[in-house]
Amino acid sequence: MNEVVKKKSLTAEDWQDAALNVIAHQGVAAVAVEPLARELGVTKGSFYWHFSNRMDLVKQSLKKWRLGDKKLVEETILTIKNPKKRLLAWFKLSAEPIQTHLIYSTLLADRSHTLISKILKEITLERLSHLQQSYREMGFDEKFAKAQSLLAYSVYVGFLHMSKTLYGSLPDSKQAEEYAQFVAKQLLS
Amino acid sequence: MNEVVKKKSLTAEDWQDAALNVIAHQGVAAVAVEPLARELGVTKGSFYWHFSNRMDLVKQSLKKWRLGDKKLVEETILTIKNPKKRLLAWFKLSAEPIQTHLIYSTLLADRSHTLISKILKEITLERLSHLQQSYREMGFDEKFAKAQSLLAYSVYVGFLHMSKTLYGSLPDSKQAEEYAQFVAKQLLS
DNA sequence: ATAATACCATACGCTACAGTATGGAGTGGT
DNA sequence: ACCACTCCATACTGTAGCGTATGGTATTAT
């Protein structure tokens, strides 16, 4: 039992969380109704009461993920006034072993659906814009800020995949800290 | 018709090429026998003559890809004596819009099978080793060479995903050249 | 010319999953 | 006490793909 209080019935969010967990580790294609139902200890009769179909679940799950991710960034990064410190905080957060990174990196290789491509493009452009903004505030010119933010973001994405490939999971906080320091030294001078 | 000479019968390599094409664009999970057969204008009776099962095709396809990739690197990169020029050549090749990169980046998010994880780890460590070697030959110490090669490789992987995400495909040669120059300036000083 | 072999079509059984239809148990409101 | 609504189980239909069995045709060898 992972829950002390045995819940009487499931909510839509319970299904979304389970779906996000699958997405993080096996991708969108692996999100299947019946296996999820088994995992949650119910049948798909429950599922089709909460959602209209499989894609509906995927959509709403990604929506939830996106909101949570946005909130995280707004609270821990965008509140920092000093642009250099803000970038450093971003590098550190990027290397933290949290689910949101796993989901993002998994989605990156999943071009199965137009919806996902669209979401990814939006998120990526959004984040690039933040980085570029910070570099500009540090005093760099437009062109350099653009190229450098693309480079920094590539490092972020690459690091996610590398970690999973080499270690099978995201590295722990200590390793992440060290790596963030090195990256900062190379990309924040 | 994409072939002038209409072939009388298919070879195992024809199936492998078709499979690699699917892997490059939709991932290993999307490799299915019957759809491939339809695409090749035959039925699966043909498939099961050439391969014992679906996984057999995947294995052999990846083996072919790996051999081709190895040959490419050996011929265009490892033959260069000067370490700095060698690294520059690697950066440039990394940004070229060729299928081998697509396959690699797609595999990176595909942890469905132990075999694939194993292959990926091997390839990644192999490439990291080459990079590290080049940095060392440039005169950097062991520790820096290791960190820097990891950084450079992260940039490579990240760039692949970014390109697909933002532009839907790998960028053309001209863009690739510019990007490689910038990366080289930042990571090769 | 005949036999062997390479290559493929067809037809089959099996499984996993999507989605629907319907009924039933529990719970809260009145 | 009764009703309505929430949540889920059960039982279906339909489809896509895996793998097998078997027979047929064209090519090659002898």
Side-chain angles (χ1 to χ4, degrees):
Chain A
M1 295 296 156
N2 44 4
E3 303 230 7
V4 178
V5 180
K6 187 87 173 183
K7 293 181 64 172
K8 286 187 281 280
S9 63
L10 296 177
T11 67
E13 284 214 14
D14 291 329
W15 284 95
Q16 289 163 20
D17 290 339
L20 286 176
N21 197 42
V22 171
I23 292 175
H25 293 95
Q26 294 149 265
V28 175
V31 175
V33 176
E34 284 165 314
L36 274 181
R38 280 194 289 274
E39 192 181 311
L40 291 172
V42 292
T43 65
K44 60 183 176 178
S46 168
F47 176 85
Y48 285 99
W49 191 89
H50 291 287
F51 303 90
S52 59
N53 54 37
R54 180 186 168 279
M55 204 54 205
D56 184 30
L57 169 66
V58 172
K59 275 190 193 176
Q60 291 190 223
S61 300
L62 291 181
K63 193 172 182 179
K64 185 190 177 185
W65 162 67
R66 223 180 144 174
L67 278 176
D69 186 80
K70 189 179 177 186
K71 193 179 168 201
L72 178 66
V73 171
E74 278 175 354
E75 288 176 356
T76 63
I77 306 291
L78 300 185
T79 52
I80 300 175
K81 293 282 180 295
N82 183 299
K84 190 164 182 176
K85 283 182 181 171
R86 195 192 308 144
L87 278 170
L88 184 58
W90 191 83
F91 290 150
K92 285 173 72 172
L93 179 64
S94 299
E96 285 293 326
I98 48 183
Q99 195 200 40
T100 182
H101 297 321
L102 275 178
I103 293 175
Y104 181 73
S105 72
T106 304
L107 288 179
L108 278 171
D110 208 324
R111 326 214 95 44
S112 58
H113 209 276
T114 316
L115 169 76
I116 297 173
S117 302
K118 193 164 154 284
I119 291 177
L120 270 179
K121 194 167 179 175
E122 286 174 16
I123 296 179
T124 304
L125 286 174
E126 209 172 287
R127 293 177 174 181
L128 275 173
S129 169
H130 286 152
L131 288 178
Q132 193 173 344
Q133 169 85 8
S134 295
Y135 274 116
R136 286 235 49 194
E137 288 180 24
M138 277 183 69
F140 296 112
D141 66 70
E142 187 83 24
K143 194 180 172 190
F144 180 87
K146 188 169 183 177
Q148 189 75 345
S149 60
L150 187 69
L151 183 62
Y153 199 76
S154 293
V155 170
Y156 159 65
V157 171
F159 175 72
L160 292 178
H161 284 292
M162 298 279 295
S163 306
K164 287 201 295 180
T165 301
L166 295 181
Y167 312 115
S169 65
L170 297 181
D172 59 45
S173 292
K174 187 165 167 292
Q175 286 177 288
E177 172 72 24
E178 275 185 43
Y179 183 76
Q181 290 297 338
F182 182 78
V183 171
K185 204 177 71 181
Q186 296 301 102
L187 298 181
L188 214 47
S189 57
Chain B
M1 295 298 156
N2 45 2
E3 302 229 6
V4 179
V5 181
K6 187 89 175 179
K7 294 182 66 173
K8 287 186 282 278
S9 62
L10 297 176
T11 66
E13 285 215 13
D14 292 328
W15 284 95
Q16 290 164 20
D17 290 338
L20 286 176
N21 197 42
V22 171
I23 292 175
H25 297 287
Q26 294 150 265
V28 175
V31 175
V33 177
E34 284 164 315
L36 272 181
R38 281 193 288 273
E39 191 181 312
L40 291 172
V42 293
T43 66
K44 59 183 176 178
S46 167
F47 177 85
Y48 285 99
W49 192 89
H50 290 286
F51 303 90
S52 59
N53 53 38
R54 180 186 167 278
M55 204 55 205
D56 184 30
L57 169 66
V58 172
K59 275 190 193 177
Q60 290 190 225
S61 299
L62 291 181
K63 192 172 182 179
K64 186 191 175 185
W65 163 67
R66 223 180 145 174
L67 277 176
D69 186 80
K70 188 179 178 186
K71 194 181 168 201
L72 178 66
V73 171
E74 277 174 355
E75 288 176 357
T76 64
I77 307 290
L78 301 184
T79 52
I80 300 175
K81 293 281 181 295
N82 182 300
K84 191 165 180 175
K85 284 183 182 172
R86 196 191 308 141
L87 278 170
L88 184 58
W90 191 82
F91 290 150
K92 285 174 71 172
L93 180 64
S94 298
E96 285 293 325
I98 48 183
Q99 195 200 41
T100 181
H101 298 319
L102 274 178
I103 293 174
Y104 181 73
S105 71
T106 304
L107 288 180
L108 278 171
D110 208 324
R111 329 213 93 45
S112 58
H113 207 277
T114 317
L115 170 75
I116 297 173
S117 301
K118 193 163 155 284
I119 290 177
L120 270 179
K121 193 166 180 174
E122 286 175 16
I123 295 178
T124 303
L125 286 174
E126 211 172 285
R127 294 177 174 181
L128 276 173
S129 168
H130 286 152
L131 288 177
Q132 192 172 346
Q133 169 85 7
S134 295
Y135 275 115
R136 286 234 51 193
E137 288 180 25
M138 277 183 69
F140 295 112
D141 67 70
E142 187 83 24
K143 195 181 172 191
F144 179 87
K146 187 168 183 176
Q148 188 76 346
S149 60
L150 187 69
L151 183 61
Y153 199 76
S154 293
V155 170
Y156 159 64
V157 170
F159 175 72
L160 291 178
H161 283 291
M162 298 279 296
S163 307
K164 286 201 296 179
T165 300
L166 295 181
Y167 313 114
S169 66
L170 297 181
D172 59 45
S173 291
K174 186 165 167 291
Q175 287 176 288
E177 171 72 24
E178 275 185 45
Y179 183 77
Q181 290 296 338
F182 182 79
V183 172
K185 204 177 73 179
Q186 296 300 101
L187 299 181
L188 214 49
S189 56

